[in-house]
Amino acid sequence: MRSSQAALEALRALPCGALVLGVFTPGDGVHLVGGAVRDLLLERPPRELDLVVEGDVDAAALRLGGEVTAHDRFGTALVRTDGCAFDLVRARAESYAHPGALPDVRPGTLDEDLRRRDVTINAIALSLDGRLRAVDRALDDLRDGLLRVLHEASFVDDPTRVWRVARYAARLGFAVEERTRALAADADAATVSGDRLGAELRLALREPDPSAAFEALRALNPAYLPEGFDPRPRALAPALELLPDDGRADLLTLAACTAPMDVGALLRWLDDMGFTAPERDLVAAASRFVTGAPLRAATTNAEIARAARGAPVEAVALAGGDNARRWLDDLRHVRLEIDGRDLLAAGIAEGPEIGERLQRALDRRLDGEVSGREQELAAALADGPGRGSLSG
Ligand code: ATP
Ligand code: MG
């Protein structure tokens, strides 16, 4: 583990860290806090820089320059400047009107601000002269690799912290301290809105190893995941490997994990977690495609296309196998040289028939039976479904 002075030097070595150190002096009451301090001390690259300000957040934001894009009633500001993004927060104390509520906030001291945080290793501030301020046991826990909440009511105040602990356990490879584990087991996710739990789920899906976060969460409190949810499905790793760049790894992961769930329960859960309708439908479609039998049974390009066409790439990746790879890498990009206008010009009436004929021609092109405009047009204009002329 780094010393605090070494952490300060590591901060200075980051372009965005140097910017902070150039703008503020140690007497300004601006401190680095939270995950960035934890990561610098652990010799890990911080993901973003969170700053706590004893005093006027607006003034501090202005001094950083750039664009102040977010601002809320809690006295927070998001500043973007020179390719850096800083989250500024007014040092504050928090209290909770009822379990799971958003906190009531009032200005507070730096120590109070550290005490409102989730786990000891996140309740450390690095002042710009390299001094650390931390809650009790924070540095020991960081050295020992332990996740510990700051007080007995932590998960009652904010049950989303169980998710946070699971993500840190997975990402950092830290153990969860025994009392914290007992408290997490008693936590009640039902007191929090689905949107807030969904936000935690989405963060977990963006972790380097989401399955590890789901496993950690299930070990802490199985009620945080719906019935049937499989944290580490076997189909996931090969599917991620197949997924093209235009696919969404987060939704594919979710689809794989939810494949064992009843579809009605899955749709209700995704709605509850605040996924948009297109995301929900994609996950549901992909999670059902996990069996993908017709795709695997296909023996010609046209059969592959008929099985995979219209399905999201995430679904095809989950179905897996050589045919899925062939579709994703190659076949799905194949286009005809002709289009609907050519068929209209040839006298075919507007309507679904145009699409059907084009598809027929495309299938024959995929199977190598036709090539070039003329043959494509002839294939599209040929009568009947034309299947008899397809190989296989
Ligand atoms: P990451 O590396 O995932 O960004 P982080 O620790 O920086 O980790 P953030 O979500 O960016 O996490 O939050 C910044 C800090 O704010 C945390 O370190 C923690 O101190 C505090 N915090 C965030 N969410 C909560 C919460 N629900 N309860 C208490 N403290 C929180
Ligand atoms: Mg952070």
Side-chain angles (χ1 to χ4, degrees):
M1 197 169 112
R2 282 193 178 117
S3 70
S4 63
Q5 283 301 330
L8 184 69
E9 289 322 306
L11 178 66
R12 202 185 305 283
L14 301 169
C16 302
L19 198 151
V20 172
L21 288 163
V23 167
F24 300 110
T25 61
D28 289 335
V30 173
H31 315 266
L32 188 69
V33 73
V37 180
R38 172 197 74 216
D39 290 340
L40 286 171
L41 289 169
L42 287 174
E43 303 183 35
R44 298 170 63 95
R47 310 220 289 187
E48 81 255 312
L49 301 182
D50 294 311
L51 300 171
V52 60
V53 183
E54 295 174 287
D56 189 346
V57 165
D58 296 326
L62 286 176
R63 283 177 65 185
L64 276 171
E67 189 194 352
V68 181
T69 46
H71 216 141
D72 67 15
R73 66 193 175 91
F74 299 148
T76 66
L78 174 69
V79 178
R80 288 178 207 281
T81 178
D82 286 346
C84 300
F86 304 99
D87 260 317
L88 274 65
V89 55
R90 169 85 173 85
R92 55 164 124 149
E94 290 181 347
S95 54
Y96 290 81
H98 59 83
L102 288 173
D104 296 316
V105 174
R106 59 177 171 77
T109 63
L110 178 59
D111 285 332
E112 282 174 314
D113 190 275
L114 293 177
R115 285 200 297 272
R116 74 176 171 86
R117 290 174 185 268
D118 51 358
V119 286
T120 58
I121 62 163
N122 285 343
I124 308 174
L126 176 69
S127 300
L128 302 187
D129 57 4
R131 271 183 309 177
L132 291 177
R133 200 71 155 262
V135 300
D136 286 349
R137 300 204 261 217
L139 295 173
D140 291 339
D141 287 344
L142 196 57
R143 188 198 53 222
D144 298 342
L146 270 185
L147 295 163
R148 183 197 306 269
V149 288
L150 303 194
H151 57 87
E152 292 277 305
S154 185
F155 294 131
V156 178
D157 288 344
D158 182 356
T160 67
R161 290 174 183 160
V162 177
W163 261 113
R164 297 181 61 85
V165 168
R167 285 195 283 115
Y168 295 127
R171 194 197 311 162
L172 304 172
F174 277 26
V176 182
E177 176 273 330
E178 198 180 330
R179 181 68 192 146
T180 299
R181 255 191 336 229
L183 295 170
D186 284 341
D188 183 3
T191 62
V192 198
S193 72
D195 280 345
R196 289 188 63 208
L197 290 170
E200 298 297 328
L201 168 63
R202 279 183 277 278
L203 288 172
L205 288 167
R206 289 209 291 271
E207 288 288 323
D209 184 357
S211 289
F214 297 143
E215 284 169 342
L217 182 67
R218 192 169 62 174
L220 286 171
N221 188 326
Y224 273 67
L225 291 171
E227 199 163 315
F229 189 97
D230 180 357
R232 195 180 288 281
R234 246 187 326 157
L236 179 57
L240 285 171
E241 201 255 310
L242 276 179
L243 187 71
D245 289 344
D246 55 322
R248 282 192 50 185
D250 58 340
L251 298 183
L252 184 153
T253 301
L254 196 55
C257 293
T258 55
M261 286 176 69
D262 165 75
V263 71
L266 172 59
L267 292 170
R268 277 193 302 279
W269 181 67
L270 292 169
D271 279 338
D272 207 40
M273 294 291 112
F275 286 91
T276 64
E279 288 173 331
R280 173 200 64 202
D281 293 343
L282 191 154
V283 170
S287 79
R288 302 305 110 172
F289 213 79
V290 90
T291 50
L295 179 61
R296 270 199 290 272
T299 56
T300 67
N301 288 345
E303 283 172 12
I304 294 174
R306 280 197 288 272
R309 184 177 283 144
V313 290
E314 292 81 4
V316 177
L318 261 180
D322 289 342
N323 287 345
R325 182 182 300 278
R326 205 168 158 73
W327 171 255
L328 292 170
D329 288 353
D330 179 19
L331 300 180
R332 74 185 169 116
H333 301 297
V334 175
R335 298 276 176 276
L336 289 171
E337 289 174 39
I338 59 167
D339 61 25
R341 283 166 305 190
D342 297 296
L343 298 194
L344 289 170
I348 307 290
E350 227 176 300
E353 195 185 334
I354 299 267
E356 287 159 18
R357 286 178 179 275
L358 287 171
Q359 195 155 305
R360 224 147 64 204
L362 180 58
D363 285 353
R364 295 195 58 194
R365 156 127 202 226
L366 287 169
D367 278 342
E369 295 173 357
V370 299
S371 73
R373 280 186 61 83
E374 244 164 71
Q375 289 185 7
E376 284 178 9
L377 194 56
L381 294 175
D383 274 334
R387 292 245 161 80
S389 61
L390 286 178
S391 58

